[in-house]
Amino acid sequence: MNFTPIVRDILSKYESDNPGTKANLARILMQGRLGGTGKMIILPVDQGFEHGPARSFSVNPSAYDPHYHYQLAIDAGLSAYAAPLGPLEAGAGTFAGQIPTILKVNSSNSWATSIDQAVTGGVDDALRLGCSAIGFTIYPGSEDQYEMMEEIREMSLEAKSVGLAVVMWSYPRGGKLDKAGETALDVCAYAAHMAALLGAHIIKVKPPTDVLWQPEAKAAYEKANVDKSTLAARIKHVMQATFNGRRIVVFSGGEAKDLEGLFTEIRGLRDGGANGSIIGRNTFQRPREQALDMLDKIIGIYQGKM
Amino acid sequence: MNFTPIVRDILSKYESDNPGTKANLARILMQGRLGGTGKMIILPVDQGFEHGPARSFSVNPSAYDPHYHYQLAIDAGLSAYAAPLGPLEAGAGTFAGQIPTILKVNSSNSWATSIDQAVTGGVDDALRLGCSAIGFTIYPGSEDQYEMMEEIREMSLEAKSVGLAVVMWSYPRGGKLDKAGETALDVCAYAAHMAALLGAHIIKVKPPTDVLWQPEAKAAYEKANVDKSTLAARIKHVMQATFNGRRIVVFSGGEAKDLEGLFTEIRGLRDGGANGSIIGRNTFQRPREQALDMLDKIIGIYQGKM
Amino acid sequence: MNFTPIVRDILSKYESDNPGTKANLARILMQGRLGGTGKMIILPVDQGFEHGPARSFSVNPSAYDPHYHYQLAIDAGLSAYAAPLGPLEAGAGTFAGQIPTILKVNSSNSWATSIDQAVTGGVDDALRLGCSAIGFTIYPGSEDQYEMMEEIREMSLEAKSVGLAVVMWSYPRGGKLDKAGETALDVCAYAAHMAALLGAHIIKVKPPTDVLWQPEAKAAYEKANVDKSTLAARIKHVMQATFNGRRIVVFSGGEAKDLEGLFTEIRGLRDGGANGSIIGRNTFQRPREQALDMLDKIIGIYQGKM
Amino acid sequence: MNFTPIVRDILSKYESDNPGTKANLARILMQGRLGGTGKMIILPVDQGFEHGPARSFSVNPSAYDPHYHYQLAIDAGLSAYAAPLGPLEAGAGTFAGQIPTILKVNSSNSWATSIDQAVTGGVDDALRLGCSAIGFTIYPGSEDQYEMMEEIREMSLEAKSVGLAVVMWSYPRGGKLDKAGETALDVCAYAAHMAALLGAHIIKVKPPTDVLWQPEAKAAYEKANVDKSTLAARIKHVMQATFNGRRIVVFSGGEAKDLEGLFTEIRGLRDGGANGSIIGRNTFQRPREQALDMLDKIIGIYQGKM
Amino acid sequence: MNFTPIVRDILSKYESDNPGTKANLARILMQGRLGGTGKMIILPVDQGFEHGPARSFSVNPSAYDPHYHYQLAIDAGLSAYAAPLGPLEAGAGTFAGQIPTILKVNSSNSWATSIDQAVTGGVDDALRLGCSAIGFTIYPGSEDQYEMMEEIREMSLEAKSVGLAVVMWSYPRGGKLDKAGETALDVCAYAAHMAALLGAHIIKVKPPTDVLWQPEAKAAYEKANVDKSTLAARIKHVMQATFNGRRIVVFSGGEAKDLEGLFTEIRGLRDGGANGSIIGRNTFQRPREQALDMLDKIIGIYQGKM
């Protein structure tokens, strides 16, 4: 597994990390069909926690089985598979060493009365399950945002000391934020920036709209003539906002749309310089063959072939 | 004690657990009259904590004595006996090694001002008392649900590291949930799923009604044509929702009913593929002979003889 | 698994132990074909460590496989299987819960230059592997005997705190002892007594000869007219020397002999009140069918049928 | 690096600190163009956390890159560079040993619903990143002020035990305070005093106005005829309020103003005996050449040349 | 990276290990040109510790640079690279994730006055350096053998708990053993067996000669007609002695010989069922191109092509 210059370059930007963490980042960057390109596609399956099993899996009942997702991620040539504790415990033995895994260490659910998540896994779990990273969601803007940041601070420190990587899902939500604000360009860039400030290795945010939500930010954007006319331009700004490209940033799919809409969006992500995508529901909520076909096309887009 | 293929198959699904935990799961699966069938009946006696002694035991005063329950579980050929710290301390010496025990490590009471439980036991207690598992109740949906999940996360990690199994009672309650919601099919499946996501080895939920509570879930169930016409169909769905049968799920008795109603319900659980029942009040709130007779019939149902 | 009066009586003598330790003793006492009789047969396979693999297994090559011994102990209806770390790791998953295991936590080998053993396992290993006990060899009389005693003191304390039982192999050896002394009646009784003094739950010694080795002891035995005319009489004395029967004592086979000689010896052990036998080489150094046949007969002797 | 008498004198005032902490204070005091003068200029870049990336950096896009700030601080001959975890991780390897760094260990953001900050870094991080100090913001007067003080108490203790220095940003805010009060002379002096009381080695406050906010304080100031007619006089009072000059105090820039206004203010700080300035936005929100020019002039002022 | 049946089968034999350890074993088994075959070649570079730098590297001065060995192992398509702390620290950043590494955690040197090794690395080092395994040498037979076994016992437990694999070099040496004995068949098989008993995942021994050293062993071998006529037959016996093939065993090169002699030996290892080779001096003590050529041929042999 000789590294490509692009992977070598990305790893060189994690200059404070020990070789163990770099090795785990490298595993993700070298895995699957995008291995070596600096791009990645991660399959996250935490919808069951967030929306319950039936809303997540009844449309494609094979997906009730934790092994289904491991196998799908492997067969599709993806870069990593992310899930909470239980599903990893249910498959980590069978699939040990076949694909890098990310233990999602906090989780919310549909019945929550606060905008927060429970810590449901830890660094010790990640080590015993052979994971390459822990994953943590923060809700910048929520009433509980500082507690969440303090939780991930402690877990990050521990993870980094034992050679694991840290993935942060940064989802602005709650508090003063309204629905339009959650995906506004200034808010998305700010959320990505905060994850970088908190020491994340890989940052996951939503693709931003062209809304500018905070009045003071709007003024700054307009003064600086930040281009927000296309998705690619907005993604480029988000990459800039995360240490000018020194951190890996991946994007979730935006609003529900048809496949052509999704592919168009992926092209925008690619053209803006995103490191890749995290694609959950769009993957496991369609039949396996269709999912493999869709992922094949997305990989093609990131490879620049489509 | 040569294992049956069904027990071997169940154990093989706990692929991340150490042999110590597997041995304790095996002890429960091989104990009593259902030993080797993959089915189990657990006697839980934590009613005293929840409803006080008189409401729990005055109808059958022998049940005030902790030894009574041990002996009853043994004589009836049950699979395990679950109780809080005190009652186990009061009988664990006398009955050491005679029946697997589950230390219920959190407990609520009737006077509580929040929907939460106190942690009243721990892994060290379970080891010194010779227990095979710890048991923990979560109340998904309550204001304190995240703290409860964080408590069991830590205790699970510790329990698994010393070879104990983890049983979770998952009872949706509080917050946005109303009474009908607590036992709705979507809610019950979601609650069971969350326990699986949290890493439970054995999951205990209530038998679901045919209500669909959350509007978004209702839409998903209807779109996917999930059969909810019979209890067996609903149980089958709950089993599917807990990793497609990769985790042991047992059910409490539903609403108060006569014995025939109970037996009919047990047949529904069995036909839906449940791993068994947890039967507390129905057992110890009737005279011993009647309880033994009732349990004999329930065992017969799970054995497929009735 | 209702206990017999004899098992209940034995357990009652371990009055300072927690229920966890009692449960593990009970598991051994209730296992296999001698379950409930107060007698036990343990299969120990640490010959590979002591004498090397070929001297141990080449006569019956199936015995090179750690699974062979697990299966043999189960199929023969024995009470427990004892082995060092590696063989238990190699089979504890497959055979989890099928037979109580004893982790031999120290080991010697043929090339040793001192009369000592290395600590090669621990209480944490025993828990994760689902063992019921740790086993430890002391060499009373050797230059290193005090260090060995101090090692087992610490490990015993830890084992007892987490509900494990402690088995001690007490083999007088080295120092002032000569070959005849090692198996002399006074020495054997003294060795068994020291293990009891050190807090062992189960003590393993060799069947004593009628030699009296220490002059001062000889005087005492003669003064008190201790009967040493038969093996049964000598065993009775050893049982007396281990807290007058308050501790479980099992015996290894003596010198190599034919099967009839072995059965005669077992009858002597039984008649003297021994709790049973530890039979290693005699078991795995003959073909499986012959071993099963031999063990069947030994079980018959302990059951009083032969 | 032979120390000047003034540096020696300053260090002598930290008489309870261990040599490790003194060495780190010395590194800051001996660094850059003000090295040896007892004066210092610190570049803080935590605006991204407080105001988001675009409001902070879009006016000078090079500043999106964490390396930019390190290099600017080095090239300008500043004394130290302060930033949150992420930016230090992104540059600490490249710039290791080139300039003292201060890990800002707590951080707020624009969307906060309380006047508080999240702990986002720690002493372990500061050590592994080679920092000379930790920096912490307190908001005296806010609802959460006591929790913040308790947080820094614990972190200070830990920092001092491992030879790090402690910098406190003391910003009166929230609670009973109004806008005018936040920068009033009595409030500013009180805030600086509290940081000294809490054990800070270096204290950062805003330059005070001539407002006296608290009636009781006003009475005292008037009774004692405290001179507040000039900035220099007010700074002199703040220095007095921080142990009569026994602690290093640096000041942020006041309200937005033109460069001449800024230089005038710096002269006031100098003449009042301040130990220096912390200058963030004024530095990185203008093109690099202009920033270097501005800093050159400020250094000149502190050197007494302008 | 879908696994081959042979890799799946090997991993299934480590039935007590957590998925983390299995993943690290899988990484070694899937790496390089032998990935997926169940065979492996490991490059060990600890000669500098044992014999000093000039005796190790002066014949091929490029080998003084730790990066040389990493690159050679990668370019040759080997399975893993093993070295002490310093060389791994010197290259683990550059080569992070490119080849599995084994941290050799104990080391001897030429000036030693005892037959022992110093512990020179640990599990924490292995994690921060991204290693897949720790490696440890025992000298069965030496005066210090028990202390060595106790050291690896503790380190193994810790390594396994955090998902690392354990490699043991088992070299009989010292005490009663003479030179011929060190490589005798009975001694080699015993040494391999002891490493398996101690819980090693991968065992490294020397290819045995046809000498039988210990008289008691000689008798057993002759009685059992153990075939020792060819190297393949002897290797087969060693594999049998390590849990009948349940553990991975690799062999060092034997006595100095020409390349043809080496290739013949490798064929013997292959035909006897060895899992592969550890080849140090033969690799780095010849020019890089020659080394690559030699390794290419050895890989060809293990692939059954030569």
Side-chain angles (χ1 to χ4, degrees):
Chain A
M1 189 157 59
N2 262 314
F3 281 8
T4 55
I6 198 166
V7 166
R8 220 179 277 279
D9 180 58
I10 291 173
L11 292 177
S12 75
K13 289 169 180 162
Y14 293 88
E15 58 185 59
S16 296
D17 284 295
N18 63 30
T21 295
K22 283 182 187 163
N24 274 314
L25 286 170
R27 282 189 187 111
I28 297 172
L29 285 162
M30 294 303 290
Q31 177 80 14
R33 289 178 57 204
L34 289 171
T37 65
K39 305 293 178 188
M40 60 179 61
I41 298 175
I42 297 171
L43 174 64
V45 187
D46 54 353
Q47 292 298 325
F49 235 133
E50 290 204 28
H51 295 154
R55 284 173 67 195
S56 303
F57 307 129
S58 64
V59 63
N60 177 31
S62 308
Y64 281 112
D65 185 341
H67 282 210
Y68 176 82
H69 305 284
Y70 269 102
Q71 198 63 57
L72 185 65
I74 293 164
D75 291 346
L78 303 191
S79 311
Y81 167 51
L85 185 68
L88 290 193
E89 286 187 332
T94 298
F95 298 96
Q98 296 196 41
I99 187 166
T101 52
I102 300 165
L103 176 62
K104 189 71 192 351
V105 294
N106 68 347
S107 308
S108 68
N109 63 56
S110 297
W111 307 332
T113 54
S114 61
I115 298 177
D116 192 4
Q117 297 209 344
V119 174
T120 56
V123 169
D124 287 340
D125 294 308
L127 287 176
R128 72 181 168 91
L129 295 173
C131 302
S132 288
I134 57 167
F136 192 95
T137 297
I138 52 172
Y139 292 138
S142 78
E143 312 265 331
D144 291 314
Q145 66 167 339
Y146 286 166
E147 284 73 14
M148 296 182 94
M149 289 176 181
E150 291 174 357
E151 283 167 351
I152 186 54
R153 184 200 90 73
E154 288 189 16
M155 296 182 85
S156 283
L157 179 65
E158 188 186 354
K160 290 171 183 176
S161 76
V162 295
L164 296 176
V166 175
V167 185
M168 282 190 214
W169 276 243
S170 189
Y171 286 171
R173 189 169 295 175
K176 304 171 184 168
L177 288 162
D178 57 22
K179 206 69 197 169
E182 289 180 3
T183 53
L185 177 58
D186 60 317
V187 170
C188 177
Y190 196 168
H193 187 64
M194 278 197 269
L197 291 167
L198 288 165
H201 298 108
I202 299 177
I203 293 158
K204 194 263 190 164
V205 288
K206 293 184 183 170
T209 64
D210 63 2
V211 172
L212 293 173
W213 177 74
Q214 197 188 15
E216 298 89 330
K218 192 163 191 286
Y221 277 82
E222 284 168 359
K223 189 173 167 198
N225 268 323
V226 176
D227 182 5
K228 64 185 183 71
S229 60
T230 63
L231 178 59
R234 296 190 295 270
I235 295 298
K236 196 175 159 196
H237 172 66
V238 173
M239 298 308 292
Q240 191 182 40
T242 43
F243 296 174
N244 207 29
R246 287 184 183 275
R247 290 295 173 262
I248 295 168
V249 187
V250 294
F251 293 82
S252 54
E255 290 304 298
K257 60 189 82 66
D258 65 10
L259 276 181
E260 275 317 306
L262 176 65
F263 297 148
T264 300
E265 186 179 83
I266 302 282
R267 280 187 202 97
L269 297 175
R270 176 198 66 194
D271 294 343
N275 290 95
S277 291
I278 287 198
I279 305 177
R281 269 172 291 183
N282 256 321
T283 298
F284 59 74
Q285 291 191 340
R286 62 186 77 227
R288 181 180 144 91
E289 285 315 309
Q290 292 179 25
L292 289 171
D293 189 57
M294 177 196 74
L295 291 168
D296 176 68
K297 289 197 173 63
I298 292 173
I299 287 169
I301 293 171
Y302 276 117
Q303 288 170 332
K305 296 180 185 163
M306 292 182 56
Chain B
M1 189 157 59
N2 263 312
F3 282 7
T4 55
I6 199 167
V7 167
R8 217 178 279 279
D9 180 59
I10 291 173
L11 291 178
S12 75
K13 289 169 181 163
Y14 293 88
E15 59 184 61
S16 295
D17 285 295
N18 62 30
T21 295
K22 283 180 189 164
N24 274 314
L25 285 171
R27 283 188 186 111
I28 297 172
L29 285 162
M30 293 304 289
Q31 176 79 15
R33 290 177 55 203
L34 288 171
T37 64
K39 305 293 178 186
M40 59 179 60
I41 299 174
I42 297 170
L43 173 64
V45 187
D46 53 353
Q47 292 298 325
F49 234 133
E50 289 203 29
H51 296 153
R55 281 174 66 196
S56 302
F57 307 129
S58 62
V59 63
N60 177 30
S62 309
Y64 280 110
D65 183 342
H67 281 212
Y68 175 82
H69 305 285
Y70 269 103
Q71 197 62 59
L72 184 66
I74 293 164
D75 291 347
L78 303 191
S79 311
Y81 167 52
L85 186 68
L88 291 193
E89 287 187 333
T94 299
F95 298 95
Q98 297 195 41
I99 187 166
T101 52
I102 299 165
L103 176 61
K104 189 69 192 351
V105 293
N106 69 346
S107 310
S108 68
N109 63 54
S110 297
W111 306 335
T113 55
S114 62
I115 299 178
D116 192 4
Q117 298 209 344
V119 174
T120 56
V123 170
D124 288 341
D125 295 310
L127 287 176
R128 72 180 167 91
L129 295 173
C131 302
S132 288
I134 58 167
F136 192 95
T137 297
I138 52 172
Y139 292 139
S142 78
E143 311 266 330
D144 292 314
Q145 65 168 341
Y146 287 166
E147 285 74 13
M148 297 183 93
M149 289 176 181
E150 290 173 358
E151 285 165 351
I152 186 54
R153 183 199 92 73
E154 289 189 16
M155 296 182 85
S156 283
L157 179 64
E158 187 186 356
K160 290 170 184 177
S161 76
V162 295
L164 295 176
V166 176
V167 184
M168 283 190 214
W169 276 243
S170 189
Y171 287 171
R173 188 170 295 174
K176 304 171 184 169
L177 287 162
D178 57 21
K179 207 67 198 170
E182 289 181 3
T183 52
L185 177 57
D186 60 319
V187 169
C188 176
Y190 197 167
H193 187 64
M194 279 197 268
L197 290 168
L198 288 164
H201 297 107
I202 299 178
I203 294 158
K204 193 263 189 163
V205 287
K206 293 185 183 169
T209 64
D210 64 1
V211 171
L212 293 174
W213 177 74
Q214 198 188 12
E216 299 90 331
K218 191 164 191 286
Y221 277 82
E222 284 169 359
K223 189 173 165 199
N225 268 322
V226 176
D227 182 6
K228 63 186 182 72
S229 59
T230 63
L231 178 59
R234 296 191 297 269
I235 295 299
K236 195 176 159 196
H237 172 65
V238 172
M239 298 308 292
Q240 190 182 40
T242 44
F243 297 174
N244 208 27
R246 289 184 182 276
R247 290 295 174 262
I248 296 168
V249 187
V250 294
F251 294 82
S252 54
E255 291 305 297
K257 60 189 80 65
D258 65 9
L259 276 180
E260 273 318 306
L262 176 65
F263 297 148
T264 300
E265 185 180 83
I266 302 283
R267 279 188 203 97
L269 298 175
R270 176 197 64 195
D271 294 343
N275 291 95
S277 291
I278 288 198
I279 305 176
R281 269 173 291 184
N282 256 321
T283 298
F284 60 75
Q285 291 190 341
R286 64 186 75 226
R288 180 179 146 92
E289 286 315 309
Q290 291 178 24
L292 289 172
D293 189 57
M294 176 196 74
L295 291 168
D296 175 69
K297 289 199 172 62
I298 292 172
I299 287 168
I301 293 171
Y302 276 118
Q303 288 170 331
K305 296 180 185 162
M306 292 181 58
Chain C
M1 190 158 57
N2 262 313
F3 282 9
T4 55
I6 197 166
V7 167
R8 216 178 281 279
D9 179 58
I10 291 172
L11 291 177
S12 74
K13 289 169 180 162
Y14 293 88
E15 60 185 56
S16 295
D17 284 295
N18 63 30
T21 295
K22 283 181 189 164
N24 274 313
L25 286 171
R27 283 189 186 111
I28 298 172
L29 286 163
M30 294 303 291
Q31 176 79 15
R33 290 176 56 204
L34 288 171
T37 65
K39 304 295 178 185
M40 60 178 61
I41 299 175
I42 298 171
L43 173 65
V45 187
D46 55 352
Q47 292 298 324
F49 235 133
E50 290 203 27
H51 296 152
R55 284 172 67 195
S56 303
F57 307 128
S58 63
V59 63
N60 176 32
S62 309
Y64 281 112
D65 184 341
H67 282 210
Y68 175 82
H69 305 285
Y70 269 103
Q71 198 62 59
L72 185 66
I74 293 164
D75 291 346
L78 303 190
S79 312
Y81 167 52
L85 186 68
L88 290 193
E89 287 187 331
T94 298
F95 298 96
Q98 297 194 41
I99 187 167
T101 53
I102 300 165
L103 176 62
K104 190 68 191 355
V105 294
N106 68 347
S107 307
S108 68
N109 63 56
S110 297
W111 308 332
T113 56
S114 62
I115 298 177
D116 192 5
Q117 300 210 344
V119 174
T120 57
V123 169
D124 287 341
D125 294 308
L127 287 176
R128 73 181 168 92
L129 295 172
C131 302
S132 289
I134 58 167
F136 192 96
T137 298
I138 52 172
Y139 291 139
S142 78
E143 313 266 331
D144 292 314
Q145 64 167 338
Y146 287 168
E147 286 72 14
M148 297 183 92
M149 288 176 183
E150 288 170 4
E151 284 166 351
I152 187 53
R153 184 201 85 79
E154 287 189 18
M155 297 182 84
S156 284
L157 179 64
E158 188 187 354
K160 290 171 184 176
S161 76
V162 295
L164 295 176
V166 175
V167 184
M168 284 190 213
W169 275 244
S170 188
Y171 287 172
R173 188 169 296 174
K176 304 173 184 166
L177 287 162
D178 57 21
K179 206 68 198 170
E182 289 180 2
T183 52
L185 177 58
D186 60 320
V187 170
C188 178
Y190 196 168
H193 187 66
M194 278 195 274
L197 290 168
L198 287 165
H201 298 108
I202 299 177
I203 294 158
K204 193 262 190 166
V205 287
K206 293 186 182 168
T209 63
D210 62 1
V211 172
L212 292 174
W213 178 74
Q214 198 188 12
E216 298 89 331
K218 191 164 190 287
Y221 276 80
E222 284 168 358
K223 187 172 168 198
N225 268 323
V226 176
D227 181 5
K228 63 187 181 71
S229 61
T230 63
L231 178 60
R234 297 191 295 270
I235 295 298
K236 194 175 161 196
H237 173 65
V238 173
M239 297 308 293
Q240 188 182 43
T242 45
F243 297 173
N244 208 27
R246 286 185 181 274
R247 289 295 172 263
I248 296 168
V249 187
V250 294
F251 293 82
S252 54
E255 291 303 296
K257 61 189 81 68
D258 64 8
L259 277 181
E260 274 317 308
L262 176 65
F263 298 149
T264 300
E265 185 180 84
I266 302 284
R267 280 189 201 96
L269 297 175
R270 176 196 64 193
D271 294 344
N275 291 95
S277 291
I278 288 198
I279 306 177
R281 269 172 291 183
N282 257 321
T283 297
F284 58 74
Q285 290 191 341
R286 64 187 76 229
R288 180 180 145 92
E289 286 314 310
Q290 291 179 25
L292 289 172
D293 189 57
M294 176 196 77
L295 291 168
D296 176 68
K297 288 198 172 61
I298 292 173
I299 287 168
I301 293 171
Y302 276 117
Q303 288 171 332
K305 296 181 185 163
M306 292 182 57
Chain D
M1 192 158 56
N2 264 315
F3 281 7
T4 56
I6 198 167
V7 166
R8 215 179 284 279
D9 179 57
I10 291 172
L11 291 177
S12 75
K13 290 169 181 163
Y14 294 87
E15 59 186 57
S16 296
D17 284 296
N18 65 30
T21 295
K22 285 181 186 165
N24 274 314
L25 285 170
R27 282 190 187 107
I28 297 171
L29 286 162
M30 295 303 291
Q31 175 79 14
R33 291 176 56 205
L34 289 171
T37 64
K39 305 293 178 188
M40 61 179 60
I41 299 175
I42 297 170
L43 173 64
V45 188
D46 54 352
Q47 291 299 324
F49 234 132
E50 289 202 29
H51 296 154
R55 285 172 66 194
S56 303
F57 307 128
S58 63
V59 65
N60 176 30
S62 308
Y64 281 112
D65 185 341
H67 283 209
Y68 176 82
H69 305 285
Y70 268 103
Q71 197 62 58
L72 185 66
I74 293 164
D75 291 347
L78 303 191
S79 311
Y81 166 52
L85 184 69
L88 291 193
E89 286 187 331
T94 299
F95 298 97
Q98 298 193 43
I99 186 166
T101 52
I102 299 165
L103 176 62
K104 189 70 190 354
V105 294
N106 66 348
S107 309
S108 68
N109 64 56
S110 298
W111 306 333
T113 54
S114 61
I115 299 177
D116 191 6
Q117 298 208 346
V119 174
T120 57
V123 170
D124 287 341
D125 295 307
L127 287 175
R128 71 181 169 93
L129 296 171
C131 302
S132 289
I134 57 167
F136 191 96
T137 297
I138 53 172
Y139 292 139
S142 79
E143 313 264 332
D144 291 314
Q145 64 167 339
Y146 287 167
E147 283 74 14
M148 297 183 94
M149 290 176 181
E150 289 169 3
E151 284 166 352
I152 187 54
R153 184 201 86 78
E154 286 189 18
M155 297 182 84
S156 285
L157 178 65
E158 188 186 354
K160 291 170 183 176
S161 77
V162 295
L164 295 175
V166 175
V167 185
M168 283 190 214
W169 276 244
S170 187
Y171 287 172
R173 188 168 296 173
K176 303 174 183 166
L177 287 162
D178 57 22
K179 207 68 197 171
E182 288 180 2
T183 53
L185 177 57
D186 59 319
V187 170
C188 177
Y190 196 168
H193 187 66
M194 278 195 275
L197 291 168
L198 287 165
H201 298 109
I202 300 178
I203 294 159
K204 194 260 190 167
V205 288
K206 293 186 181 168
T209 63
D210 61 2
V211 172
L212 292 174
W213 179 73
Q214 196 187 14
E216 297 88 332
K218 192 164 191 286
Y221 276 80
E222 285 169 357
K223 189 174 167 196
N225 267 323
V226 176
D227 182 6
K228 62 184 181 73
S229 61
T230 63
L231 179 59
R234 295 191 295 270
I235 295 299
K236 195 175 160 197
H237 172 65
V238 173
M239 297 309 291
Q240 190 181 41
T242 44
F243 298 173
N244 208 26
R246 288 186 179 275
R247 289 294 173 264
I248 297 167
V249 186
V250 294
F251 293 82
S252 54
E255 290 304 296
K257 59 191 80 70
D258 64 10
L259 275 181
E260 274 318 307
L262 176 64
F263 298 148
T264 300
E265 186 178 83
I266 301 285
R267 282 189 200 95
L269 297 175
R270 176 197 65 195
D271 295 344
N275 290 94
S277 291
I278 287 199
I279 306 177
R281 268 171 293 183
N282 257 321
T283 298
F284 59 75
Q285 290 191 341
R286 62 187 77 228
R288 180 178 146 93
E289 287 314 311
Q290 292 179 25
L292 288 172
D293 191 57
M294 177 195 75
L295 291 168
D296 176 67
K297 289 197 173 62
I298 291 172
I299 287 168
I301 294 171
Y302 276 117
Q303 288 170 331
K305 297 179 184 164
M306 293 182 58
Chain E
M1 190 157 60
N2 263 313
F3 282 9
T4 55
I6 197 166
V7 167
R8 217 179 278 279
D9 179 58
I10 291 173
L11 291 178
S12 75
K13 289 170 180 162
Y14 293 88
E15 59 183 62
S16 296
D17 285 295
N18 64 29
T21 295
K22 283 180 188 164
N24 274 314
L25 286 171
R27 284 189 185 111
I28 297 172
L29 285 163
M30 294 305 291
Q31 176 80 14
R33 290 176 55 204
L34 288 172
T37 64
K39 304 293 179 186
M40 60 177 62
I41 299 175
I42 297 171
L43 174 64
V45 187
D46 53 353
Q47 291 297 324
F49 235 133
E50 289 203 29
H51 298 152
R55 282 173 67 194
S56 303
F57 307 130
S58 62
V59 65
N60 176 31
S62 309
Y64 281 110
D65 184 342
H67 281 212
Y68 175 82
H69 304 286
Y70 268 105
Q71 197 63 59
L72 184 66
I74 293 164
D75 291 346
L78 303 191
S79 312
Y81 167 51
L85 186 69
L88 291 193
E89 286 188 332
T94 298
F95 297 96
Q98 297 194 42
I99 187 167
T101 52
I102 300 165
L103 176 62
K104 190 70 191 354
V105 294
N106 67 347
S107 309
S108 67
N109 63 54
S110 296
W111 307 334
T113 55
S114 61
I115 299 177
D116 192 5
Q117 298 210 344
V119 174
T120 58
V123 169
D124 288 342
D125 294 310
L127 287 176
R128 72 180 169 90
L129 295 172
C131 302
S132 289
I134 58 167
F136 191 96
T137 298
I138 52 172
Y139 291 140
S142 79
E143 313 265 333
D144 291 314
Q145 64 168 340
Y146 288 165
E147 285 72 14
M148 297 183 93
M149 289 177 182
E150 289 173 358
E151 284 166 351
I152 186 54
R153 184 199 91 73
E154 287 190 17
M155 297 182 84
S156 284
L157 179 65
E158 188 187 353
K160 291 171 184 175
S161 75
V162 296
L164 295 176
V166 175
V167 185
M168 283 189 213
W169 276 245
S170 189
Y171 286 173
R173 190 169 294 174
K176 304 171 183 168
L177 288 161
D178 57 22
K179 206 67 198 169
E182 287 180 3
T183 52
L185 177 58
D186 60 320
V187 170
C188 176
Y190 195 167
H193 186 63
M194 278 196 270
L197 291 168
L198 287 165
H201 297 109
I202 299 177
I203 294 159
K204 194 262 191 165
V205 287
K206 294 185 182 168
T209 64
D210 63 0
V211 171
L212 292 175
W213 176 75
Q214 198 188 13
E216 298 89 331
K218 191 163 192 287
Y221 277 82
E222 285 169 359
K223 187 172 166 199
N225 269 322
V226 176
D227 182 6
K228 64 187 181 71
S229 60
T230 64
L231 179 59
R234 295 191 296 270
I235 295 299
K236 194 174 159 197
H237 172 65
V238 173
M239 298 308 292
Q240 191 182 40
T242 44
F243 296 173
N244 208 29
R246 288 185 182 274
R247 290 294 174 261
I248 296 168
V249 186
V250 294
F251 292 82
S252 54
E255 290 304 296
K257 61 190 81 67
D258 64 9
L259 276 181
E260 275 318 306
L262 176 66
F263 297 149
T264 301
E265 185 179 84
I266 301 284
R267 280 189 202 96
L269 297 175
R270 176 198 64 195
D271 294 344
N275 291 96
S277 290
I278 287 198
I279 306 177
R281 270 173 291 183
N282 256 322
T283 297
F284 60 75
Q285 291 191 340
R286 63 186 75 228
R288 180 180 146 92
E289 286 314 310
Q290 291 179 25
L292 288 172
D293 190 57
M294 176 196 75
L295 291 167
D296 176 67
K297 287 197 175 61
I298 292 173
I299 287 168
I301 294 170
Y302 276 118
Q303 289 171 330
K305 296 180 185 163
M306 293 182 55

